[in-house]
């Protein structure tokens, strides 16, 4: 292909097309529409492109990022100057990577590096560098003191240096118990230092300057041998909190106390003292965080858990930032504990630095325990809080995190449409700027009233207006535009009920509008609003007319109470109570409001239930009682109206007020007497018995408790009231009054016997007068005694029997009636002397009572003789399935002959065998069982009867004559389809085996069981013989091997049959032997099942080593020389 020279654009413009020879013209063909048919493409319009899902998602993502960054509770600032200088120091000066930092006051910050360098900054400006400690290893920890003038630095080789923080001068060098362990953490405890080494020990460093010479004294507070400490935090100079992998330990004043730490043992625990209350210690491990209360009392330390919560991630650092607990978790998120816990701040982009255990192990020759390795891997290397900001060290630089300004966050929440959060922040802030923003926000909400349909937003808006005293904006702006929103109206009503509108109350017109709106949305709030607002905020006439028209009677009472007190409220509500309403929760008239007004009046409360001043309470209570009982100008008293409307509620009100004035004090009894007389007077108007009984029981209770005096006129009216009300409750109320009369005026008790002539009253009255025989007669005159009546009567009888021995004899005519009332209690009254009359009692009572009384006597052990026979006859007639159990369990309680006669006459057939066995007719008993077995078609029942018959034969066989036992077993084996094999062994003892197998066993199944048992017995014996032979052979082999001898071979060869003597013989298994030539052809396995083993090859007998006689050395010793006296 020829490569043509391409002309320039200018040459083409300067010449015509014909003169251009260098261009070759190509014939172009027109496109065929059919051959080159291309689909039409519709280009999107600008509106479609802008509304596409991609752009929408991108805009949502960007908006969410902006919202999250601006609405977050934390603000992150990247310290660029410090970060750049740290990078340059690492790259140019070989300072090493940054390992830790500490922040002091006034903008001071110091960073330690892996090569032992310290770089100190002030307002992000480098002030000094210390690079003379490279031999000490990496800087592992730093800590400023409280005023920022001193800084402690810990190194990987275990040294701790104290620096002067202004110029970087080294003041002291401290060694922690030698250079064996590295320094993990340092901190200050007032003017002393605390250090934690990689051996898990905690050291106290006391700094001093005697005679101008700086010195330091080191002492061990907690040894790592007692448990490796992996975290520590000091509360003050006296109290130190430590954490091991198993417990939290508090050290104070030379004492220590600990509590077990929950969570997995391979997770690092973290500790931090509470900034708001220094008695609270926060500890966390894994997903569990708990608060502990530390109490120091004398010489004791008390640790008590306060709260325990579950976290979503594992915390690795705790601190207090802006008064809130701050958590840095294993996901490298920073969280605020509380409402913002679910809104973490992701700090993974700065790559936080951890206290790596690598350099600690490198500089300390690997002397880092497993627990301290975990502390080095999981703990943050550079995290420090100072002056309300958190400084965090990362590989990409240093960041400062601090709480965001509340107003800025509130504005961001408003812009994002999160109005509830914005309002909460504004309510928690204060100042002129906050009030200005709140005013603007309220103006925006007034233009968009639909926002206030949210109840939370409405409540926060009302709180915001009340906090900043924006009453004009609340009523003139918000109310005019948003009064149609139910949530806003209810929020205003709740604020009025809480009394928050008392300082800036609304005008009467606005209050009227508010209650009219509330009547539509929440009628129950109207009365509470009217009772809570001051009178100057109400138009009483309009409000009263409106509440009466709507039937809001408590609102009517609240207005009347505001005008004339609760007594006036009672008088104004009396005319609107309907006696036919019925009261209760469904009351539609003014009865409930009247009851509430009366309760407030008697308790000396004003409108809305607010208590009156102490000096006004006595007179208010007196006026309330007077108004409650007053009947002026023919109008009914409020108490009469209450009694007619809801008697139970009126009585409960009086009971609750009985212990307080005006019913307590010097005139308490007189006032209670006035109320009791009034109630008795009102009771004549009541037609329902239940309401009359409520009044009667109230007055009787007051009299019996001593709250009312024994006024004869009152007792007379009460007597007439009881006589006209025939009911058990009325009788008991009158008896309670008579008990009080007996206690104080015993001589008057007999005069009241004829007052109420009803048996329930008369028997108790005769019992009080010691006329016990008459009391018993009167009791049985009661038509339908209740359970309480019966209990009281039997208790009276028991008490009389204990003191009167002849009482049981006088009770005999009434015993059947007593048994009908309470059979168990009557059985307890019957003694051994009443044994002859029990049968007559059983015949006289009803069927159900007869059975229950018999069972009670049987449990007490008093059922015997004719009574037991009568009880058995009753069971046979009405409970036949219980007869057999009764006769089996209680054998001998009925004579066997009598029991047999009763059972044959009317009893069940299955109980006949028990009776026959008891009489000694064992064959008859067996025949009865066999007849039942033949008559019953149920297989399960047959099996049960076979077992029962077998048990009978086995039980009778040893004691009966031999022919009787043999006959019984023969009948059983012939009639039974199957007998349990174990019982056949019992039959063998009474029948010969041949007769058992041939003559007795007509059933094929029984014969099969016998043969199977014999075969099994034979196989057992064979197996036992094989086991014995095997054990004997093994014992013989062990004995011969121990004696190193062979077995003497006698007898014939097992292979050829010739004699074994005189030839080579090989012993086999189970005491067998064969010739040496025949042994190879002998059978491989023995009859016992064991394979013959190889020939036994014994090792040679070891020769005994003979010991040489010891060499005897001859010692020549000169004889002793005698002294001058001849003594040797």
């Amino acid at each position: 292909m020829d490569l043509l020279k391409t002309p320039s654009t200018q040459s083409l413009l300067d010449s015509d097309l014909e003169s251009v020879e260098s261009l070759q013209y190509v014939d172009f063909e027109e496109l065929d529409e059919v051959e080159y048919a291309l689909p039409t493409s519709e280009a999107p319009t600008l509106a479609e492109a802008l509304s596409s899902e991609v752009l929408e998602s991108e805009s949502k993502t960007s908006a969410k990022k902006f919202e999250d960054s601006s609405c977050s509770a934390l603000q992150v600032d990247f310290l660029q100057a410090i970060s750049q200088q740290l990078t340059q120091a690492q790259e140019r000066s070989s300072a090493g990577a940054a390992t830790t930092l500490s922040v002091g006051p006034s903008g001071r910050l110091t960073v330690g590096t892996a090569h032992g360098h310290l770089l100190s900054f002030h307002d992000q400006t480098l002030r000094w560098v210390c690079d003379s400690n490279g031999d000490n290893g990496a800087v592992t920890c730093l800590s400023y003191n409280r005023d920022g003038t001193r800084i402690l630095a810990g190194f990987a080789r275990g040294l701790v240096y104290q620096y002067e923080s202004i110029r970087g001068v080294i003041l002291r060098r401290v060694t922690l118990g030698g250079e064996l362990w590295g320094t993990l953490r340092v901190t200050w405890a007032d003017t002393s230092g605390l250090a934690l080494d990689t051996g898990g020990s905690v050291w106290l460093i006391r700094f001093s300057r005697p005679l101008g010479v700086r010195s330091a004294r080191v002492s061990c507070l907690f040894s790592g041998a007692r448990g490796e400490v992996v975290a520590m935090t000091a509360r003050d100079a006296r109290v130190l909190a430590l954490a091991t992998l198993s417990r939290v330990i508090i050290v104070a004043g030379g004492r220590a106390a600990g509590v077990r730490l929950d969570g997995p043992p391979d997770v690092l625990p973290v500790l931090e003292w509470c900034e708001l209350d220094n008695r609270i210690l926060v500890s966390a491990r894994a997903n569990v965080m708990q608060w502990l209360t530390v109490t120091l009392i004398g010489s004791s330390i008390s640790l008590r858990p306060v709260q325990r919560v579950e976290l979503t991630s594992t915390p690795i650092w705790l601190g207090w930032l802006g008064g809130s607990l701050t958590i840095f978790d294993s996901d490298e998120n920073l969280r605020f504990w509380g409402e913002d816990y679910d809104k973490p701040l992701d700090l993974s982009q700065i790559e936080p630095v951890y206290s790596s255990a690598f350099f600690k192990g490198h500089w300390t020759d690997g002397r880092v325990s497993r627990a301290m390795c975990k502390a080095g891997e999981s703990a943050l290397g550079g995290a420090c809080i100072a002056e309300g900001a958190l400084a965090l060290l990362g590989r990409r630089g240093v960041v400062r995190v601090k709480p965001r300004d509340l107003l800025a966050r509130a504005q961001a929440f408003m812009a994002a449409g999160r109005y509830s959060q914005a309002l909460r922040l504004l309510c928690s802030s204060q100042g002129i700027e906050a009030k200005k923003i709140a005013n603007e926000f309220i103006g925006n909400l007034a233009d968009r009233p639909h926002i206030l349909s949210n109840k939370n937003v409405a409540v926060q808006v009302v709180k915001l207006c009340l906090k900043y005293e924006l009453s004009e904006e609340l009523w003139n702006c918000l109310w005019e535009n948003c009064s149609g929103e139910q949530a806003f109206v209810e929020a205003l009503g709740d604020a009025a009920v809480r009394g928050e509108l008392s300082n800036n109350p609304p005008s009467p017109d606005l209050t009227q509008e508010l209650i009219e709106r509330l009547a539509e949305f929440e009628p129950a709030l109207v009365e509470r609003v009217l009772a809570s607002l001051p009178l100057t905020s109400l138009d009483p006439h309009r409000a009263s007319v409106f509440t009466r028209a709507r039937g809001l009677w408590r609102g009517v009472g609240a207005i009347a109470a505001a005008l004339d007190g609760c007594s006036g409220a009672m008088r104004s509500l009396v005319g609107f109570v309907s006696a036919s309403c019925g009261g209760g929760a469904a009351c539609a008239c003014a009865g409930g409001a009247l009851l509430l007004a009366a309760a407030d009046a008697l308790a000396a409360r004003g409108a809305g239930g607010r208590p009156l001043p102490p000096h006004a309470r006595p007179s208010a209570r007196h006026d309330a009682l007077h108004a409650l009982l007053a009947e002026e100008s023919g109008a009914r008293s409020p108490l009469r109206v209450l009694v007619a409307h809801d008697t139970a509620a009126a009585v409960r009100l009086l009971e609750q007020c009985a212990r307080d004035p005006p019913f307590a004090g010097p005139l308490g009894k007189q006032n209670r007497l006035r109320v009791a007389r009034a109630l008795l007077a009102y009771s004549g108007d009541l037609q329902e018995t239940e309401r009359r009984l409520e009044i009667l029981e109230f007055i009787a209770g007051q009299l019996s408790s001593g709250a009312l005096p024994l006024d004869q006129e009152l007792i007379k009216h009460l007597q007439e009231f009881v006589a006209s009300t025939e009911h058990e409750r009325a009788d008991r109320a009158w008896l309670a009054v008579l008990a009080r009369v007996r206690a104080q005026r015993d001589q008057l008790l007999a005069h009241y016997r004829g007052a109420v002539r009803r048996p329930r009253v008369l028997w108790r009255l005769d019992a009080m007068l010691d006329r016990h025989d008459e009391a018993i007669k009167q009791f049985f005159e009661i038509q339908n005694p209740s359970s309480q009546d019966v209990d009281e009567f039997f208790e009276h009888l028991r008490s009389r029997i204990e003191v009167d021995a002849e009482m049981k004899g006088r009770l005999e005519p009434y015993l059947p009636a007593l048994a009908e009332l309470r059979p168990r209690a009557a059985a307890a009254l019957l003694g051994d002397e009443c044994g002859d009359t029990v049968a007559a009692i059983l015949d006289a009572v009803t069927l159900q009572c007869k059975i229950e009384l018999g069972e009670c006597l049987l449990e007490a052990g008093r059922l015997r003789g004719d009574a037991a026979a009568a009880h058995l006859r009753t069971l046979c007639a009405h409970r036949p399935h219980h007869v057999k159990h009764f006769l089996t369990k209680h054998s001998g309680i009925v004579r066997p002959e009598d029991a047999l006669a009763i059972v044959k006459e009317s009893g069940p057939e299955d109980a006949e065998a028990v009776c026959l066995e008891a009489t000694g007719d064992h064959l008859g008993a067996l025949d009865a069982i066999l007849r039942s077995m033949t008559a019953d078609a149920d297989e399960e029942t047959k099996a049960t009867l076979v077992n029962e018959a077998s048990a009978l034969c086995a039980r009778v066989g040893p004691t009966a004559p031999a022919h009787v036992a043999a006959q019984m077993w023969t009948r059983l084996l012939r009639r039974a389809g199957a007998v349990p094999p174990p019982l056949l062994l019992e039959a063998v003892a009474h029948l010969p085996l041949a007769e058992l197998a041939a003559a007795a066993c007509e059933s094929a199944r029984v014969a099969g069981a016998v043969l199977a048992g014999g075969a099994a017995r034979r196989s057992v014996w064979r197996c036992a013989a094989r086991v014995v032979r095997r054990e004997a052979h093994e014992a013989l082999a062990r004995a011969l091997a121990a004696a190193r001898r062979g077995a003497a071979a006698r007898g014939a060869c097992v292979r050829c049959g010739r004699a074994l003597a005189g030839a080579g013989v090989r012993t086999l298994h189970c005491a067998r032997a064969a010739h040496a030539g025949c042994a190879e052809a002998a059978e491989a396995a023995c009859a016992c099942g064991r394979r013959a083993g190889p020939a036994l090859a014994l090792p040679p007998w070891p020769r005994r080593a003979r010991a040489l006689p010891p060499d005897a050395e001859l010692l020549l010793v000169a004889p002793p020389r005698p002294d001058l006296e001849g003594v040797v």
Side-chain angles (χ1 to χ4, degrees):
M1 178 181 179
D2 296 335
L3 297 176
L4 301 177
K5 182 180 179 180
T6 304
S8 63
T9 305
Q10 185 65 32
S11 64
L12 292 175
L13 294 176
D14 294 341
S15 62
D16 55 357
L17 292 178
E18 286 83 0
S19 63
V20 182
E21 298 178 355
S22 60
L23 289 177
Q24 295 181 358
Y25 292 94
V26 181
D27 295 333
F28 293 98
E29 297 179 0
E30 294 183 359
L31 294 176
D32 187 4
E33 294 181 357
V34 178
E35 183 179 0
Y36 299 98
L38 299 176
T40 59
S41 62
E42 298 179 359
T45 63
L46 179 60
E48 292 175 351
L50 293 178
S51 62
S52 63
E53 294 183 359
V54 177
L55 292 177
E56 185 177 356
S57 62
E58 291 179 356
S59 63
K60 286 184 178 179
T61 303
S62 61
K64 186 177 184 300
K65 289 182 179 178
F66 170 75
E67 177 186 333
D68 292 343
S69 61
S70 58
C71 298
S72 175
L74 298 173
Q75 178 181 350
V76 182
D77 298 327
F78 185 71
L79 305 183
Q80 187 173 1
I82 296 178
S83 303
Q84 289 179 352
Q85 294 181 71
L86 290 177
T87 303
Q88 293 175 3
Q90 179 180 359
E91 295 175 352
R92 300 179 182 179
S93 303
S94 299
T99 56
T100 184
L101 66 75
S102 181
V103 181
S106 303
R108 300 187 183 277
L109 187 146
T110 301
V111 179
T113 68
H115 293 171
H117 296 190
L118 269 71
L119 292 82
S120 184
F121 301 87
H122 184 214
D123 293 334
Q124 299 196 46
T125 302
L126 184 62
R127 293 301 184 185
W128 54 267
V129 176
C130 180
D131 56 357
S132 59
N133 301 319
D135 296 338
N136 296 332
V139 182
T140 58
C141 47
L142 293 169
S143 179
Y144 273 96
N145 64 350
R146 183 173 300 177
D147 56 5
T149 58
R150 299 289 185 270
I151 184 171
L152 288 177
F155 294 89
R157 285 193 171 177
L159 298 176
V160 177
Y161 283 15
Q162 184 189 37
Y163 288 86
E164 190 271 333
S165 62
I166 305 298
R167 295 170 296 170
V169 178
I170 299 177
L171 301 179
R172 294 176 177 89
R173 294 179 175 86
V174 180
T175 302
L176 303 177
E179 298 184 358
L180 294 176
W181 304 104
T183 306
L184 187 65
R185 185 177 179 186
V186 292
T187 186
W188 289 87
D190 199 7
T191 59
S192 302
L194 290 171
L196 171 63
D197 63 15
T198 55
S201 299
V202 181
W203 303 84
L204 174 64
I205 308 173
R206 298 183 182 273
F207 302 110
S208 60
R209 194 174 181 179
L211 301 177
V213 179
R214 293 187 176 92
S215 63
R217 186 175 58 185
V218 180
S219 59
C220 182
L221 281 182
F222 194 89
S223 173
R226 300 173 59 187
E228 298 174 4
V229 177
V230 294
M232 72 172 182
T233 177
R235 188 182 78 176
D236 48 36
R238 295 182 60 251
V239 183
L240 175 65
L242 309 175
T244 66
L245 292 181
S246 60
R247 61 182 59 245
V248 175
I249 302 171
I250 303 297
V251 179
R255 302 178 307 277
V259 62
R260 186 167 295 279
L261 193 61
D262 296 335
D266 58 340
V267 179
L268 179 70
V270 288
L271 299 173
E272 188 62 33
W273 290 99
C274 180
E275 187 181 63
L276 306 177
D277 187 355
N278 61 2
R279 296 173 301 173
I280 302 297
L281 176 68
V282 184
S283 64
R285 182 161 69 173
N287 294 335
V288 178
M289 183 168 65
Q290 60 180 348
W291 281 258
L292 301 173
T293 300
V294 180
T295 306
L296 304 178
I297 303 176
S299 61
S300 63
I301 303 175
S302 173
L303 288 174
R304 184 172 57 87
V306 177
Q307 186 181 6
R308 175 189 172 96
V309 295
E310 296 287 339
L311 304 177
T312 57
S313 57
T314 302
I316 60 176
W317 179 86
L318 297 177
W320 291 86
L321 190 60
S324 299
L325 180 63
T326 310
I327 304 171
F328 189 87
D329 58 24
S330 57
D331 298 330
E332 298 184 346
N333 292 325
L334 194 66
R335 301 172 183 265
F336 265 169
W337 177 250
E339 295 181 356
D340 296 327
Y341 180 76
D342 295 332
K343 303 168 186 175
L345 177 63
D346 186 11
L347 295 177
S348 59
Q349 66 273 7
I350 68 167
E351 299 181 7
V353 173
Y354 294 91
S355 299
S356 174
F358 169 73
F359 62 83
K360 295 185 181 69
H362 175 73
W363 290 106
T364 58
D365 298 330
R367 289 187 294 274
V368 179
S369 65
R370 184 175 300 176
M372 303 313 295
C373 283
K374 179 61 64 175
E377 292 173 358
S378 304
L380 279 180
C384 183
I385 292 180
E387 296 181 340
L390 167 65
L392 189 63
L393 177 64
R395 295 184 180 181
R396 296 182 179 272
V398 181
V399 295
R400 180 186 290 124
V401 183
K402 60 183 178 181
R404 188 179 295 276
D405 181 56
L406 292 180
L407 298 181
R409 288 188 66 200
Q411 291 176 339
F413 278 130
M414 292 178 197
R418 298 163 65 177
Y419 304 108
S420 180
Q421 292 90 332
L423 288 169
R424 278 200 295 267
L425 289 177
L426 285 175
C427 289
S428 62
S429 60
Q430 55 187 356
I432 300 176
E433 187 66 24
K435 184 176 181 179
K436 180 180 178 181
I437 295 175
N439 202 349
E440 295 176 357
F441 188 31
I442 291 172
N444 295 333
L445 290 178
D447 297 335
R448 291 179 286 179
H450 65 278
I451 298 175
L452 293 179
S453 60
N454 188 337
K455 185 64 177 291
N456 294 330
V457 176
V459 171
Q460 294 296 331
V461 165
V462 174
K463 287 184 178 180
L464 187 66
C465 294
L466 296 176
K467 178 177 181 178
Y468 292 106
E469 299 181 355
L470 301 175
S471 58
E472 294 293 331
E473 288 78 2
L474 175 63
W475 296 107
N476 297 334
C477 184
L478 285 177
W479 178 256
E480 291 181 0
N481 297 315
C482 307
S483 58
E485 300 295 336
Q486 179 180 353
F488 178 63
V489 176
E490 292 179 358
L492 273 175
D494 293 335
V497 171
R498 291 192 299 267
E500 297 175 358
L501 299 181
S502 301
N503 296 330
N504 294 312
S507 63
D509 294 335
L510 292 174
T511 303
Q512 186 67 25
E513 295 179 12
L514 177 61
I515 62 175
E516 290 177 359
R517 290 290 186 183
L518 284 174
E520 298 175 3
F521 300 139
E522 191 67 29
L525 272 179
V526 173
E527 56 176 346
R528 299 167 63 188
V529 170
L530 291 174
S532 302
L533 289 175
L535 188 59
T536 56
S537 298
L538 301 176
D539 185 348
H541 177 70
R542 291 176 59 192
S544 179
V545 171
F546 175 76
T547 51
R548 289 180 185 181
R550 290 296 185 94
L552 303 175
W553 301 112
R554 294 191 179 184
V556 176
I559 297 172
L563 293 173
D564 195 16
C566 291
S567 301
M570 287 192 293
R571 288 190 292 268
S572 62
L573 291 171
V574 165
F576 302 100
V577 179
S578 174
S580 61
C581 175
C587 178
C589 64
L594 177 60
L595 182 66
L596 180 62
D600 289 339
L602 291 175
R605 291 191 291 263
R610 292 186 293 271
L612 295 176
H615 66 276
R617 293 176 187 174
S619 60
R621 288 190 173 105
H622 181 271
D623 296 342
L625 180 60
H626 179 73
L628 189 66
L629 300 176
E631 295 187 358
E632 301 175 355
S633 65
R636 298 184 301 169
S637 67
L639 183 58
R640 181 187 290 272
V641 173
L642 283 175
V643 169
H645 176 260
D646 192 349
T647 308
V651 169
R652 284 196 302 271
L653 173 63
L654 295 174
E655 287 176 351
Q656 293 174 0
C657 300
R659 296 183 180 181
D660 299 322
F663 302 112
L667 300 177
K669 285 194 175 184
Q670 286 77 357
N671 291 331
R672 287 193 290 269
L673 190 59
R674 289 175 57 193
V675 172
R677 289 174 178 173
L679 289 175
L680 286 175
Y682 303 154
S683 62
D685 301 334
L686 302 177
Q687 301 300 326
E688 296 86 351
T689 304
E690 188 69 24
R691 295 190 175 188
R692 295 166 61 88
L693 290 175
E694 291 282 352
I695 295 177
L696 179 59
E697 288 178 343
F698 170 71
I699 298 176
Q702 294 279 309
L703 282 170
S704 62
S705 63
L708 286 175
L710 291 177
D711 184 70
Q712 294 300 321
E713 183 181 358
L714 178 64
I715 294 177
K716 182 178 180 182
H717 289 302
L718 188 64
Q719 174 186 335
E720 296 174 356
F721 190 13
V722 171
S724 62
T725 307
E726 188 170 352
H727 198 274
E728 181 183 353
R729 292 167 59 186
D731 295 344
R732 295 194 178 279
W734 178 245
L735 289 172
V737 175
L738 293 181
R740 169 79 187 288
V741 172
R742 179 190 181 189
Q744 291 192 355
R745 302 176 183 179
D746 195 5
Q747 66 277 8
L748 297 178
L749 188 61
H751 298 287
Y752 291 104
R753 191 179 187 281
V756 180
R757 303 192 63 83
R758 287 200 284 266
R760 184 177 287 104
V761 177
L762 291 176
W763 92 262
R764 292 295 303 275
L765 193 58
D766 289 337
M768 294 180 189
L769 296 173
D770 294 333
R771 303 169 59 180
H772 304 292
D773 295 338
E774 293 293 332
I776 295 174
K777 294 179 182 179
Q778 291 295 335
F779 176 82
F780 287 106
E781 295 293 331
I782 302 175
Q783 295 296 330
N784 296 309
S786 63
S787 178
Q788 187 175 357
D789 291 332
V790 176
D791 292 339
E792 292 175 352
F793 183 64
F794 274 99
E795 183 63 30
H796 169 70
L797 293 180
R798 278 193 291 269
S799 62
R800 291 305 307 163
I801 289 174
E802 291 178 358
V803 298
D804 189 359
E806 300 178 356
M807 189 65 187
K808 287 187 177 182
R810 296 198 298 269
L811 280 178
E812 288 187 6
Y814 304 100
L815 288 177
L818 291 174
E820 292 285 351
L821 290 175
R822 195 68 56 83
R824 186 170 296 276
L829 294 178
L830 294 175
D832 296 336
E833 64 277 3
C834 300
D836 299 336
T837 61
V838 173
I841 296 172
L842 289 175
D843 294 337
V845 297
T846 60
L847 175 63
Q848 184 64 30
C849 178
K850 185 182 300 185
I851 295 176
E852 188 175 354
L853 180 62
E855 292 177 352
C856 296
L857 292 172
L858 184 63
E859 293 177 2
R862 297 174 182 171
L863 186 67
R864 51 184 176 269
D866 296 339
H871 181 65
L872 176 61
R873 190 175 290 104
T874 304
L875 291 179
C876 291
H878 302 283
R879 291 186 181 180
H881 53 283
H882 291 174
V883 174
K884 184 177 180 180
H885 175 73
F886 172 76
L887 293 174
T888 304
K889 186 176 180 181
H890 307 285
S891 59
I893 195 172
V894 183
R895 293 180 64 250
E897 294 77 8
D898 297 342
L900 180 61
I902 294 173
V903 169
K904 284 186 176 181
E905 178 183 355
S906 58
E909 294 182 0
D910 59 348
E912 186 177 351
V914 179
C915 299
L916 289 172
E917 183 183 359
T919 57
D921 189 1
H922 304 113
L923 288 174
L926 180 62
D927 291 339
I929 297 175
L930 294 177
R931 285 195 302 270
S932 301
M933 183 176 60
T934 305
D936 203 325
D938 188 9
E939 294 296 333
E940 185 177 355
T941 306
K942 282 185 177 181
T944 304
L945 292 174
V946 167
N947 293 335
E948 184 178 348
S950 302
L952 174 63
C953 293
R955 186 170 58 250
V956 173
T959 58
H963 67 281
V964 175
Q967 189 177 2
M968 291 178 65
W969 280 109
T970 303
R971 291 184 183 181
L972 173 61
L973 294 176
R974 287 178 179 175
R975 298 284 295 275
V979 178
L983 291 177
L984 294 176
L985 299 178
E986 297 287 342
V988 170
H990 303 281
L991 293 176
L993 184 59
E995 184 180 353
L996 179 64
C1001 299
E1002 296 182 357
S1003 173
R1005 296 178 61 184
V1006 175
V1010 173
L1011 295 177
R1017 186 173 182 181
R1018 181 184 179 189
S1019 63
V1020 167
W1021 279 110
R1022 288 181 176 179
C1023 180
R1026 288 196 301 269
V1027 171
V1028 170
R1029 285 198 301 269
R1030 178 177 174 180
E1031 291 180 352
H1033 179 72
E1034 291 179 353
L1036 177 61
R1038 286 194 300 269
L1040 292 175
R1044 306 191 61 81
R1045 293 177 56 190
R1050 298 183 181 88
C1053 175
V1054 296
R1055 182 63 179 169
C1056 63
R1058 293 179 299 160
L1060 294 175
V1065 178
R1066 180 181 175 183
T1067 58
L1068 300 178
H1069 204 258
C1070 292
R1072 299 182 309 148
H1075 292 109
C1078 300
E1080 298 296 333
E1083 53 184 354
C1086 180
C1088 67
R1090 290 282 300 274
R1091 178 178 292 274
L1096 182 62
L1098 296 178
W1101 186 267
R1103 300 182 63 183
R1104 181 180 299 177
R1106 294 183 179 181
L1108 296 176
D1111 296 336
E1113 297 182 358
L1114 182 61
L1115 297 179
L1116 298 178
V1117 181
R1121 297 177 61 184
D1123 56 6
L1124 296 177
E1125 296 180 355
V1127 180
V1128 179

